[in-house]
Amino acid sequence: MPVLEGLWGPDVRMRDSGLGVESPCSPVWGPLRTPPVTCGGLSLALELPALIRQLRAAWRAPRGGPQGPEGNQAHTWVDTEKKELKRDLEDRCTHLEADGRLSTGHAGVLLAERRGSFPLIDLHILKTSAQQGEVESGTKRKVKRLLSFQRYCHNSRLLRGLVPHTPGSLHLLDDDYLGQAAHMLSKVGTWNFDIFLFDRLTNGNSLVTLMCHLFNVYGLIHHFQLDMVKLHRFLGMVQEDYHSQNPYHNAVHAADVTQAMYCYLKEPKLAEQLSPPDVFLGLMAAAAHDVDHPGVNQPFLIKTRHHLASLYQNTSVLESHHWRSTVGMLRESGLLSHLPPDMSLDMEQQLGSLILATDISRQNEFLLTFREHLDNQDLDLQLASHRHFMLQIALKCADICNPCRVWELSRQWSERVCEEFYRQGDLEKKFDLEISPLCNQQADSVPAIQIGFISYIVEPLFKEWLRFTEPSVLSQTLMGHLHKNKARWSLLRYAHSSETQTRPPAEKPGPEGGGGGEEDIP
């Protein structure tokens, strides 16, 4: 087995699917792929920093003159572009190390930088030469999220108002979409909430939009006297630090878990006892519980000698990283900086306790404790420790609730998580590593994986949740969907097995191909 030293490089950033890649020596923002647009005499088809510099130069330039206002502005913009581009390239590292954002000349636009992973998680796996036994590193390219012109106009105070709202403007379409998103938010407490549709209607900002709405619903902004700018900045950082290229562990999954958590927090038996700090911690933990997830599991990090595995001593590696990354973003955004230091520190610790509870390896630990409390009938939700424990259970339920959704949503999530498993298995196979359980696409079918997951993980926990709610309408609905989905996966597994058995002998893989693995799955 080759030694994968240097497997995880330090300089790869998050890739936004389909939006492009930044070369190592390009400016901070890549070119916008939009047709030439002019507004007030300014060309809006340029890179965003260049556009901002044009606006600044136009403001400083003397009005009128022998060459005319347009000629003066054109020459001023070219000269300013050359000078400031050179200065930006020289000072770029200094600005990034100072506070992680652009200089004031760039209008304070935040960079999509990683905050919890040092060195950064890099899934650009090295190419292995089997003949020479050498590991060659590929070209390290910084990948950043590029904003479309339309989205930038919506989010930039500098440009808002400069774009004319004509009858044929794209803003009319945006307003229509935002109206549909607002209508969906009015039904955010229903269990059949379609988070995929909501994410499309919010232009990929489902997590930020949902969290802001729920904070308003519970009055948390007023209760904790939160700064809206800092709150939006923190939520944007969290959403950006989810890897959009992950089929499953992405910002949409975080929004889905947050919506499920909101439904559980509304359970009458729980809602009557929860305090504003409890609700705040529950929603924050749901939103950030998988932040900066690399798309591979803990055993993969251990076997590839990733720095996080060493840092957290091979124990709750990913969950510890999610927590520490969240704390780093909380402090960087200053969201809780106005609170007493002991209070903010306590909230960070409780947030960590909730996120660490999502470690699937601790499933039996929490399940047995939960069952014991229910058997003894000694849960006292007036005690802060018992409320915190129930928040842990609610977050665990929200994290694995996909089999309890309606079939159309549940199936999509099942296929996404299996796709992520299979990608890891392909990486392990490529580098002659032992393939992790459930990651072999030839041996582990989606129906088989889901039936095992439902039987051994989901059903036992939700049976106890049903007992806790005594039972509520929502919990009965959950169990109904769970049983129906399990039955459908059983039928699909049977059909898949029958198809495999009736396949012509010429198509069956030989002994070296590992055939028959599907029939051995329990």
Side-chain angles (χ1 to χ4, degrees):
M1 181 180 71
V3 179
L4 302 182
E5 295 292 347
L7 180 63
W8 306 89
D11 289 327
V12 171
R13 299 295 188 266
M14 179 165 47
R15 181 191 300 273
D16 184 81
S17 58
L19 291 182
V21 179
E22 178 193 1
S23 61
C25 56
S26 67
V28 175
W29 297 96
L32 298 178
R33 300 177 180 178
T34 54
V37 181
T38 58
C39 177
L42 302 179
S43 173
L44 302 185
L46 299 176
E47 298 174 12
L48 298 184
L51 176 59
I52 294 174
R53 286 193 287 270
Q54 285 190 9
L55 292 172
R56 194 171 64 230
W59 179 261
R60 294 174 179 174
R63 302 179 183 273
Q67 299 178 354
E70 294 184 358
N72 286 338
Q73 288 182 2
H75 289 292
T76 303
W77 294 338
V78 172
D79 295 338
T80 304
E81 173 71 15
K82 292 181 180 179
K83 294 179 181 178
E84 297 209 6
L85 180 58
K86 181 177 179 181
R87 186 170 63 238
D88 289 344
L89 292 176
E90 294 175 352
D91 298 342
R92 180 179 175 187
C93 295
T94 304
H95 291 309
L96 291 180
E97 293 176 358
D99 63 352
R101 42 176 161 165
L102 297 175
S103 63
T104 54
H106 285 154
V109 181
L110 294 178
L111 290 177
E113 296 289 342
R114 272 293 132 66
R115 277 154 291 273
S117 178
F118 301 100
L120 303 170
I121 290 179
D122 178 8
L123 287 183
H124 188 72
I125 304 299
L126 305 182
K127 298 180 180 179
T128 304
S129 175
Q131 291 80 7
Q132 301 178 0
E134 297 178 353
V135 180
E136 301 177 355
S137 61
T139 303
K140 297 178 180 179
R141 298 183 299 177
K142 296 182 180 181
V143 183
K144 296 184 182 297
R145 169 179 286 266
L146 304 180
L147 297 181
S148 68
F149 172 76
Q150 181 181 354
R151 183 187 299 176
Y152 183 73
C153 284
H154 275 291
N155 291 304
S156 171
R157 293 183 179 180
L158 180 62
L159 295 180
R160 188 177 298 145
L162 296 180
V163 180
H165 291 269
T166 60
S169 172
L170 292 176
H171 291 269
L172 294 179
L173 180 61
D174 286 350
D175 291 340
D176 181 52
Y177 270 61
L178 292 175
Q180 295 182 48
H183 177 70
M184 288 193 68
L185 283 175
S186 66
K187 301 181 179 180
V188 71
T190 59
W191 188 246
N192 60 349
F193 189 84
D194 189 343
I195 196 65
F196 297 110
L197 174 59
F198 184 70
D199 188 66
R200 292 193 294 271
L201 293 177
T202 56
N203 199 18
N205 290 299
S206 55
L207 183 59
V208 173
T209 306
L210 179 62
M211 282 291 287
C212 288
H213 174 75
L214 295 181
F215 268 48
N216 278 318
V217 168
Y218 280 106
L220 298 177
I221 297 174
H222 175 74
H223 180 86
F224 290 102
Q225 295 297 300
L226 299 178
D227 187 319
M228 279 300 300
V229 175
K230 292 180 179 180
L231 175 62
H232 198 274
R233 183 189 180 199
F234 167 76
L235 295 176
M237 291 160 65
V238 170
Q239 181 173 268
E240 287 291 326
D241 268 12
Y242 277 96
H243 298 202
S244 59
Q245 71 269 27
N246 289 345
Y248 183 81
H249 289 103
N250 49 43
V252 184
H253 165 67
D256 182 66
V257 172
T258 302
Q259 190 270 337
M261 188 68 169
Y262 172 63
C263 293
Y264 299 153
L265 295 180
K266 288 176 56 184
E267 288 282 22
K269 190 171 181 180
L270 199 56
E272 296 171 356
Q273 305 295 335
L274 292 178
S275 64
D278 295 330
V279 176
F280 177 83
L281 289 171
L283 295 177
M284 290 280 282
H289 78 285
D290 273 333
V291 71
D292 200 25
H293 196 293
V296 293
N297 59 19
Q298 176 173 297
F300 186 88
L301 298 180
I302 295 174
K303 70 176 70 174
T304 55
R305 304 178 185 179
H306 190 266
H307 72 282
L308 289 178
S310 301
L311 178 63
Y312 298 114
Q313 301 179 353
N314 300 340
T315 303
S316 297
V317 175
L318 288 171
E319 290 73 25
S320 298
H321 176 59
H322 303 325
W323 168 38
R324 294 299 184 181
S325 298
T326 305
V327 171
M329 288 182 283
L330 274 173
R331 296 181 179 182
E332 182 179 342
S333 64
L335 181 62
L336 304 180
S337 59
H338 63 290
L339 300 178
D342 55 341
M343 182 178 180
S344 60
L345 183 61
D346 180 64
M347 296 184 77
E348 291 175 357
Q349 295 298 320
Q350 292 191 59
L351 191 63
S353 177
L354 291 173
I355 294 177
L356 290 174
T358 61
D359 186 352
I360 201 67
S361 65
R362 301 179 63 191
Q363 182 77 6
N364 287 335
E365 170 192 341
F366 281 95
L367 179 61
L368 293 176
T369 304
F370 191 25
R371 185 176 294 157
E372 183 179 352
H373 278 305
L374 296 177
D375 291 341
N376 298 333
Q377 299 182 354
D378 59 356
L379 268 177
D380 185 2
L381 295 181
Q382 293 184 350
L383 298 177
S385 59
H386 284 201
R387 292 199 306 273
H388 185 78
F389 175 75
M390 287 311 305
L391 286 177
Q392 290 176 314
I393 296 296
L395 182 57
K396 290 181 68 64
C397 289
D399 193 25
I400 62 173
C401 73
N402 298 146
C404 300
R405 297 284 190 179
V406 295
W407 170 253
E408 290 74 17
L409 299 178
S410 178
R411 179 182 53 81
Q412 290 187 61
W413 285 120
S414 299
E415 293 172 349
R416 283 169 173 261
V417 72
C418 289
E419 172 62 23
E420 195 165 295
F421 291 163
Y422 296 153
R423 287 187 183 183
Q424 176 179 324
D426 292 341
L427 287 176
E428 293 168 333
K429 184 185 300 183
K430 180 178 179 180
F431 297 105
D432 297 325
L433 301 173
E434 181 183 358
I435 299 181
S436 301
L438 310 180
C439 295
N440 190 338
Q441 188 168 6
Q442 282 68 42
D444 304 316
S445 66
V446 176
I449 293 174
Q450 290 307 305
I451 291 173
F453 179 60
I454 292 173
S455 300
Y456 298 106
I457 302 296
V458 182
E459 264 186 334
L461 181 60
F462 275 92
K463 284 182 179 178
E464 303 307 322
W465 180 262
L466 185 71
R467 291 176 58 193
F468 167 73
T469 58
E470 295 183 342
S472 67
V473 175
L474 175 60
S475 60
Q476 290 177 330
T477 302
L478 299 181
M479 293 304 293
H481 289 322
L482 183 63
H483 294 150
K484 291 179 181 178
N485 292 339
K486 184 179 181 181
R488 296 193 70 164
W489 285 122
S490 298
L491 290 175
L492 290 175
R493 182 189 176 192
Y494 176 77
H496 185 273
S497 300
S498 300
E499 180 183 353
T500 304
Q501 293 174 0
T502 57
R503 185 179 302 168
E507 298 183 11
K508 286 190 176 181
E512 296 180 357
E518 195 64 47
E519 299 171 1
D520 298 332
I521 299 175

PDB file of all heavy atoms in Angstrom, residues 191-213:
ATOM      1  N   TRP A 191     -44.106  18.994   7.893  1.00  0.00           N
ATOM      2  CA  TRP A 191     -43.100  17.957   7.711  1.00  0.00           C
ATOM      3  C   TRP A 191     -42.809  17.679   6.232  1.00  0.00           C
ATOM      4  O   TRP A 191     -41.742  17.157   5.910  1.00  0.00           O
ATOM      5  CB  TRP A 191     -43.532  16.682   8.420  1.00  0.00           C
ATOM      6  CG  TRP A 191     -42.451  15.644   8.436  1.00  0.00           C
ATOM      7  CD1 TRP A 191     -42.437  14.443   7.814  1.00  0.00           C
ATOM      8  CD2 TRP A 191     -41.186  15.747   9.110  1.00  0.00           C
ATOM      9  NE1 TRP A 191     -41.250  13.786   8.051  1.00  0.00           N
ATOM     10  CE2 TRP A 191     -40.467  14.563   8.856  1.00  0.00           C
ATOM     11  CE3 TRP A 191     -40.594  16.734   9.923  1.00  0.00           C
ATOM     12  CZ2 TRP A 191     -39.191  14.344   9.364  1.00  0.00           C
ATOM     13  CZ3 TRP A 191     -39.311  16.502  10.421  1.00  0.00           C
ATOM     14  CH2 TRP A 191     -38.632  15.326  10.148  1.00  0.00           C
ATOM     15  N   ASN A 192     -43.708  18.015   5.337  1.00  0.00           N
ATOM     16  CA  ASN A 192     -43.465  17.753   3.911  1.00  0.00           C
ATOM     17  C   ASN A 192     -42.783  18.935   3.220  1.00  0.00           C
ATOM     18  O   ASN A 192     -42.868  19.075   2.005  1.00  0.00           O
ATOM     19  CB  ASN A 192     -44.771  17.409   3.198  1.00  0.00           C
ATOM     20  CG  ASN A 192     -45.783  18.542   3.281  1.00  0.00           C
ATOM     21  OD1 ASN A 192     -45.597  19.496   4.036  1.00  0.00           O
ATOM     22  ND2 ASN A 192     -46.858  18.433   2.524  1.00  0.00           N
ATOM     23  N   PHE A 193     -42.101  19.764   3.980  1.00  0.00           N
ATOM     24  CA  PHE A 193     -41.384  20.926   3.447  1.00  0.00           C
ATOM     25  C   PHE A 193     -40.307  20.450   2.478  1.00  0.00           C
ATOM     26  O   PHE A 193     -39.455  19.630   2.833  1.00  0.00           O
ATOM     27  CB  PHE A 193     -40.760  21.725   4.590  1.00  0.00           C
ATOM     28  CG  PHE A 193     -40.174  23.053   4.185  1.00  0.00           C
ATOM     29  CD1 PHE A 193     -40.981  24.169   4.082  1.00  0.00           C
ATOM     30  CD2 PHE A 193     -38.823  23.168   3.926  1.00  0.00           C
ATOM     31  CE1 PHE A 193     -40.444  25.399   3.718  1.00  0.00           C
ATOM     32  CE2 PHE A 193     -38.272  24.381   3.564  1.00  0.00           C
ATOM     33  CZ  PHE A 193     -39.091  25.498   3.464  1.00  0.00           C
ATOM     34  N   ASP A 194     -40.326  20.973   1.257  1.00  0.00           N
ATOM     35  CA  ASP A 194     -39.388  20.557   0.214  1.00  0.00           C
ATOM     36  C   ASP A 194     -38.168  21.485   0.236  1.00  0.00           C
ATOM     37  O   ASP A 194     -38.183  22.571  -0.328  1.00  0.00           O
ATOM     38  CB  ASP A 194     -40.066  20.604  -1.153  1.00  0.00           C
ATOM     39  CG  ASP A 194     -39.218  19.981  -2.259  1.00  0.00           C
ATOM     40  OD1 ASP A 194     -38.000  19.803  -2.046  1.00  0.00           O
ATOM     41  OD2 ASP A 194     -39.781  19.668  -3.322  1.00  0.00           O
ATOM     42  N   ILE A 195     -37.104  21.017   0.875  1.00  0.00           N
ATOM     43  CA  ILE A 195     -35.925  21.864   1.023  1.00  0.00           C
ATOM     44  C   ILE A 195     -35.194  22.035  -0.302  1.00  0.00           C
ATOM     45  O   ILE A 195     -34.529  23.060  -0.526  1.00  0.00           O
ATOM     46  CB  ILE A 195     -34.976  21.276   2.089  1.00  0.00           C
ATOM     47  CG1 ILE A 195     -33.952  22.316   2.543  1.00  0.00           C
ATOM     48  CG2 ILE A 195     -34.286  20.028   1.568  1.00  0.00           C
ATOM     49  CD1 ILE A 195     -34.541  23.493   3.254  1.00  0.00           C
ATOM     50  N   PHE A 196     -35.311  21.074  -1.215  1.00  0.00           N
ATOM     51  CA  PHE A 196     -34.665  21.209  -2.523  1.00  0.00           C
ATOM     52  C   PHE A 196     -35.301  22.348  -3.329  1.00  0.00           C
ATOM     53  O   PHE A 196     -34.595  23.162  -3.938  1.00  0.00           O
ATOM     54  CB  PHE A 196     -34.764  19.898  -3.301  1.00  0.00           C
ATOM     55  CG  PHE A 196     -34.044  18.753  -2.649  1.00  0.00           C
ATOM     56  CD1 PHE A 196     -34.745  17.706  -2.074  1.00  0.00           C
ATOM     57  CD2 PHE A 196     -32.660  18.726  -2.605  1.00  0.00           C
ATOM     58  CE1 PHE A 196     -34.088  16.651  -1.475  1.00  0.00           C
ATOM     59  CE2 PHE A 196     -31.990  17.670  -2.002  1.00  0.00           C
ATOM     60  CZ  PHE A 196     -32.710  16.628  -1.434  1.00  0.00           C
ATOM     61  N   LEU A 197     -36.622  22.409  -3.323  1.00  0.00           N
ATOM     62  CA  LEU A 197     -37.313  23.498  -4.009  1.00  0.00           C
ATOM     63  C   LEU A 197     -36.986  24.832  -3.349  1.00  0.00           C
ATOM     64  O   LEU A 197     -36.752  25.835  -4.029  1.00  0.00           O
ATOM     65  CB  LEU A 197     -38.823  23.247  -3.991  1.00  0.00           C
ATOM     66  CG  LEU A 197     -39.706  24.360  -4.552  1.00  0.00           C
ATOM     67  CD1 LEU A 197     -39.363  24.657  -6.005  1.00  0.00           C
ATOM     68  CD2 LEU A 197     -41.182  24.003  -4.404  1.00  0.00           C
ATOM     69  N   PHE A 198     -36.975  24.857  -2.028  1.00  0.00           N
ATOM     70  CA  PHE A 198     -36.682  26.087  -1.307  1.00  0.00           C
ATOM     71  C   PHE A 198     -35.274  26.583  -1.627  1.00  0.00           C
ATOM     72  O   PHE A 198     -35.047  27.793  -1.772  1.00  0.00           O
ATOM     73  CB  PHE A 198     -36.829  25.855   0.192  1.00  0.00           C
ATOM     74  CG  PHE A 198     -36.633  27.092   1.026  1.00  0.00           C
ATOM     75  CD1 PHE A 198     -37.566  28.115   1.010  1.00  0.00           C
ATOM     76  CD2 PHE A 198     -35.506  27.240   1.822  1.00  0.00           C
ATOM     77  CE1 PHE A 198     -37.380  29.261   1.772  1.00  0.00           C
ATOM     78  CE2 PHE A 198     -35.316  28.367   2.593  1.00  0.00           C
ATOM     79  CZ  PHE A 198     -36.255  29.382   2.565  1.00  0.00           C
ATOM     80  N   ASP A 199     -34.330  25.673  -1.755  1.00  0.00           N
ATOM     81  CA  ASP A 199     -32.959  26.077  -2.075  1.00  0.00           C
ATOM     82  C   ASP A 199     -32.886  26.683  -3.469  1.00  0.00           C
ATOM     83  O   ASP A 199     -32.147  27.652  -3.699  1.00  0.00           O
ATOM     84  CB  ASP A 199     -32.027  24.863  -1.977  1.00  0.00           C
ATOM     85  CG  ASP A 199     -30.564  25.240  -2.106  1.00  0.00           C
ATOM     86  OD1 ASP A 199     -30.050  25.941  -1.212  1.00  0.00           O
ATOM     87  OD2 ASP A 199     -29.945  24.849  -3.108  1.00  0.00           O
ATOM     88  N   ARG A 200     -33.645  26.138  -4.407  1.00  0.00           N
ATOM     89  CA  ARG A 200     -33.663  26.717  -5.752  1.00  0.00           C
ATOM     90  C   ARG A 200     -34.313  28.105  -5.748  1.00  0.00           C
ATOM     91  O   ARG A 200     -33.847  29.018  -6.425  1.00  0.00           O
ATOM     92  CB  ARG A 200     -34.400  25.786  -6.721  1.00  0.00           C
ATOM     93  CG  ARG A 200     -33.676  24.480  -6.997  1.00  0.00           C
ATOM     94  CD  ARG A 200     -34.273  23.755  -8.180  1.00  0.00           C
ATOM     95  NE  ARG A 200     -35.638  23.302  -7.925  1.00  0.00           N
ATOM     96  CZ  ARG A 200     -35.940  22.123  -7.395  1.00  0.00           C
ATOM     97  NH1 ARG A 200     -34.975  21.278  -7.043  1.00  0.00           N
ATOM     98  NH2 ARG A 200     -37.202  21.777  -7.211  1.00  0.00           N
ATOM     99  N   LEU A 201     -35.386  28.255  -4.988  1.00  0.00           N
ATOM    100  CA  LEU A 201     -36.082  29.544  -4.953  1.00  0.00           C
ATOM    101  C   LEU A 201     -35.245  30.630  -4.289  1.00  0.00           C
ATOM    102  O   LEU A 201     -35.439  31.820  -4.566  1.00  0.00           O
ATOM    103  CB  LEU A 201     -37.418  29.396  -4.221  1.00  0.00           C
ATOM    104  CG  LEU A 201     -38.476  28.518  -4.914  1.00  0.00           C
ATOM    105  CD1 LEU A 201     -39.718  28.405  -4.050  1.00  0.00           C
ATOM    106  CD2 LEU A 201     -38.833  29.083  -6.278  1.00  0.00           C
ATOM    107  N   THR A 202     -34.357  30.248  -3.406  1.00  0.00           N
ATOM    108  CA  THR A 202     -33.502  31.219  -2.716  1.00  0.00           C
ATOM    109  C   THR A 202     -32.135  31.342  -3.374  1.00  0.00           C
ATOM    110  O   THR A 202     -31.219  31.921  -2.782  1.00  0.00           O
ATOM    111  CB  THR A 202     -33.327  30.830  -1.238  1.00  0.00           C
ATOM    112  OG1 THR A 202     -32.803  29.490  -1.165  1.00  0.00           O
ATOM    113  CG2 THR A 202     -34.640  30.913  -0.491  1.00  0.00           C
ATOM    114  N   ASN A 203     -32.010  30.792  -4.581  1.00  0.00           N
ATOM    115  CA  ASN A 203     -30.752  30.910  -5.333  1.00  0.00           C
ATOM    116  C   ASN A 203     -29.579  30.326  -4.560  1.00  0.00           C
ATOM    117  O   ASN A 203     -28.478  30.887  -4.522  1.00  0.00           O
ATOM    118  CB  ASN A 203     -30.474  32.369  -5.689  1.00  0.00           C
ATOM    119  CG  ASN A 203     -29.478  32.502  -6.831  1.00  0.00           C
ATOM    120  OD1 ASN A 203     -29.244  31.555  -7.574  1.00  0.00           O
ATOM    121  ND2 ASN A 203     -28.892  33.682  -6.968  1.00  0.00           N
ATOM    122  N   GLY A 204     -29.794  29.173  -3.908  1.00  0.00           N
ATOM    123  CA  GLY A 204     -28.728  28.510  -3.175  1.00  0.00           C
ATOM    124  C   GLY A 204     -28.461  29.069  -1.796  1.00  0.00           C
ATOM    125  O   GLY A 204     -27.464  28.719  -1.165  1.00  0.00           O
ATOM    126  N   ASN A 205     -29.323  29.938  -1.301  1.00  0.00           N
ATOM    127  CA  ASN A 205     -29.139  30.549   0.024  1.00  0.00           C
ATOM    128  C   ASN A 205     -30.186  30.038   1.016  1.00  0.00           C
ATOM    129  O   ASN A 205     -30.674  30.791   1.862  1.00  0.00           O
ATOM    130  CB  ASN A 205     -29.221  32.072  -0.074  1.00  0.00           C
ATOM    131  CG  ASN A 205     -28.025  32.659  -0.787  1.00  0.00           C
ATOM    132  OD1 ASN A 205     -26.887  32.512  -0.357  1.00  0.00           O
ATOM    133  ND2 ASN A 205     -28.276  33.316  -1.904  1.00  0.00           N
ATOM    134  N   SER A 206     -30.522  28.765   0.935  1.00  0.00           N
ATOM    135  CA  SER A 206     -31.583  28.220   1.792  1.00  0.00           C
ATOM    136  C   SER A 206     -31.213  28.288   3.267  1.00  0.00           C
ATOM    137  O   SER A 206     -32.063  28.587   4.109  1.00  0.00           O
ATOM    138  CB  SER A 206     -31.881  26.768   1.396  1.00  0.00           C
ATOM    139  OG  SER A 206     -30.705  25.980   1.432  1.00  0.00           O
ATOM    140  N   LEU A 207     -29.954  28.025   3.612  1.00  0.00           N
ATOM    141  CA  LEU A 207     -29.572  27.989   5.023  1.00  0.00           C
ATOM    142  C   LEU A 207     -29.650  29.371   5.654  1.00  0.00           C
ATOM    143  O   LEU A 207     -30.218  29.539   6.742  1.00  0.00           O
ATOM    144  CB  LEU A 207     -28.160  27.409   5.155  1.00  0.00           C
ATOM    145  CG  LEU A 207     -27.648  27.236   6.590  1.00  0.00           C
ATOM    146  CD1 LEU A 207     -28.573  26.320   7.385  1.00  0.00           C
ATOM    147  CD2 LEU A 207     -26.227  26.695   6.592  1.00  0.00           C
ATOM    148  N   VAL A 208     -29.089  30.368   4.979  1.00  0.00           N
ATOM    149  CA  VAL A 208     -29.117  31.730   5.522  1.00  0.00           C
ATOM    150  C   VAL A 208     -30.549  32.237   5.621  1.00  0.00           C
ATOM    151  O   VAL A 208     -30.960  32.806   6.655  1.00  0.00           O
ATOM    152  CB  VAL A 208     -28.274  32.672   4.635  1.00  0.00           C
ATOM    153  CG1 VAL A 208     -28.434  34.125   5.090  1.00  0.00           C
ATOM    154  CG2 VAL A 208     -26.813  32.265   4.674  1.00  0.00           C
ATOM    155  N   THR A 209     -31.336  32.032   4.574  1.00  0.00           N
ATOM    156  CA  THR A 209     -32.722  32.509   4.564  1.00  0.00           C
ATOM    157  C   THR A 209     -33.543  31.842   5.649  1.00  0.00           C
ATOM    158  O   THR A 209     -34.305  32.505   6.371  1.00  0.00           O
ATOM    159  CB  THR A 209     -33.359  32.235   3.193  1.00  0.00           C
ATOM    160  OG1 THR A 209     -32.538  32.789   2.157  1.00  0.00           O
ATOM    161  CG2 THR A 209     -34.748  32.839   3.110  1.00  0.00           C
ATOM    162  N   LEU A 210     -33.387  30.534   5.795  1.00  0.00           N
ATOM    163  CA  LEU A 210     -34.153  29.799   6.790  1.00  0.00           C
ATOM    164  C   LEU A 210     -33.777  30.216   8.201  1.00  0.00           C
ATOM    165  O   LEU A 210     -34.653  30.427   9.055  1.00  0.00           O
ATOM    166  CB  LEU A 210     -33.920  28.299   6.600  1.00  0.00           C
ATOM    167  CG  LEU A 210     -34.628  27.360   7.584  1.00  0.00           C
ATOM    168  CD1 LEU A 210     -36.142  27.509   7.469  1.00  0.00           C
ATOM    169  CD2 LEU A 210     -34.213  25.917   7.337  1.00  0.00           C
ATOM    170  N   MET A 211     -32.488  30.344   8.472  1.00  0.00           N
ATOM    171  CA  MET A 211     -32.053  30.711   9.819  1.00  0.00           C
ATOM    172  C   MET A 211     -32.518  32.118  10.201  1.00  0.00           C
ATOM    173  O   MET A 211     -32.960  32.343  11.336  1.00  0.00           O
ATOM    174  CB  MET A 211     -30.537  30.605   9.912  1.00  0.00           C
ATOM    175  CG  MET A 211     -30.015  29.187  10.053  1.00  0.00           C
ATOM    176  SD  MET A 211     -30.430  28.455  11.661  1.00  0.00           S
ATOM    177  CE  MET A 211     -29.317  29.361  12.727  1.00  0.00           C
ATOM    178  N   CYS A 212     -32.409  33.065   9.277  1.00  0.00           N
ATOM    179  CA  CYS A 212     -32.884  34.427   9.581  1.00  0.00           C
ATOM    180  C   CYS A 212     -34.379  34.414   9.887  1.00  0.00           C
ATOM    181  O   CYS A 212     -34.847  35.102  10.811  1.00  0.00           O
ATOM    182  CB  CYS A 212     -32.589  35.351   8.409  1.00  0.00           C
ATOM    183  SG  CYS A 212     -30.839  35.763   8.205  1.00  0.00           S
ATOM    184  N   HIS A 213     -35.133  33.637   9.126  1.00  0.00           N
ATOM    185  CA  HIS A 213     -36.577  33.547   9.363  1.00  0.00           C
ATOM    186  C   HIS A 213     -36.873  32.949  10.730  1.00  0.00           C
ATOM    187  O   HIS A 213     -37.703  33.477  11.490  1.00  0.00           O
ATOM    188  CB  HIS A 213     -37.220  32.712   8.270  1.00  0.00           C
ATOM    189  CG  HIS A 213     -38.677  32.449   8.490  1.00  0.00           C
ATOM    190  ND1 HIS A 213     -39.656  33.399   8.288  1.00  0.00           N
ATOM    191  CD2 HIS A 213     -39.328  31.319   8.928  1.00  0.00           C
ATOM    192  CE1 HIS A 213     -40.837  32.884   8.578  1.00  0.00           C
ATOM    193  NE2 HIS A 213     -40.669  31.624   8.953  1.00  0.00           N
TER     194      HIS A 213
END
